[in-house]
Amino acid sequence: MKFNKLIPELSVSSLKKSLRFYTEIIGFKIEYKRNESKFAMISFQGNQIMIEEINNHWNTDKLEYPFGRGINFQMEVDKIQSILDNLKKHHYLIFIEPKENWYRKGDQLLGNKEFLVKDPDGYLLRFAEDL
């Protein structure tokens, strides 16, 4: 596995609960774990995230739900529908329903079909399918 140059590391309240969400519902793969640190490196279609149960090592302030206020993690995926189906099957609330968005890059428009969902700790995830 080649590491991306930027890999967010998220502090989570429960590694077990987060791994269930990311692997069983979204479809991430566990690349490796360090059980003694309650840490896992996970990936999905080229997207990489590290998750570690809160250990107060990296905290800059008290963590309160929803974690990650003011940030969303956009992840480009092949198709969003299977993720949506799994989220709905497991009764996860969609934060922003799927829609097409077009973003200007210079004189060009780039389109995405995307939706947003909160993970168990409230981190905002935006899954985007290229149009």
Side-chain angles (χ1 to χ4, degrees):
M1 175 187 82
K2 182 179 182 213
F3 289 96
N4 292 341
K5 293 197 181 263
L6 174 66
I7 306 171
E9 182 169 344
L10 309 179
S11 294
V12 299
S13 57
S14 165
L15 181 66
K16 182 178 179 179
K17 188 175 182 180
S18 290
L19 280 177
R20 181 181 177 279
F21 172 80
Y22 281 99
T23 62
E24 295 177 22
I25 297 171
I26 302 296
F28 275 78
K29 171 185 160 192
I30 298 172
E31 295 293 343
Y32 63 91
K33 287 172 67 175
R34 290 193 297 265
N35 292 328
E36 70 281 3
S37 302
K38 296 183 180 178
F39 169 92
M41 167 70 169
I42 58 177
S43 69
F44 181 67
Q45 297 183 14
N47 299 286
Q48 298 174 341
I49 299 175
M50 296 182 282
I51 54 177
E52 183 171 36
E53 200 164 298
I54 296 169
N55 59 18
N56 297 319
H57 184 74
W58 303 111
N59 298 7
T60 57
D61 204 347
K62 182 180 177 187
L63 289 175
E64 296 175 339
Y65 184 89
F67 295 3
R69 293 176 211 156
I71 190 168
N72 75 76
F73 297 100
Q74 178 177 319
M75 293 179 256
E76 186 176 322
V77 297
D78 296 334
K79 300 283 182 195
I80 63 171
Q81 193 58 54
S82 62
I83 300 169
L84 281 165
D85 292 344
N86 281 342
L87 288 164
K88 289 177 181 177
K89 178 178 147 187
H90 289 89
H91 309 289
Y92 266 89
L93 182 66
I94 304 301
F95 186 73
I96 295 181
E97 290 292 330
K99 63 181 177 177
E100 284 188 17
N101 286 314
W102 293 86
Y103 302 100
R104 189 176 58 77
K105 178 185 173 190
D107 61 354
Q108 188 179 29
L109 284 179
L110 306 174
N112 285 333
K113 185 175 181 184
E114 55 191 18
F115 74 94
L116 287 93
V117 64
K118 290 181 186 178
D119 84 348
D121 290 297
Y123 288 108
L124 200 52
L125 310 175
R126 179 172 22 154
F127 291 97
E129 172 183 328
D130 184 42
L131 294 174

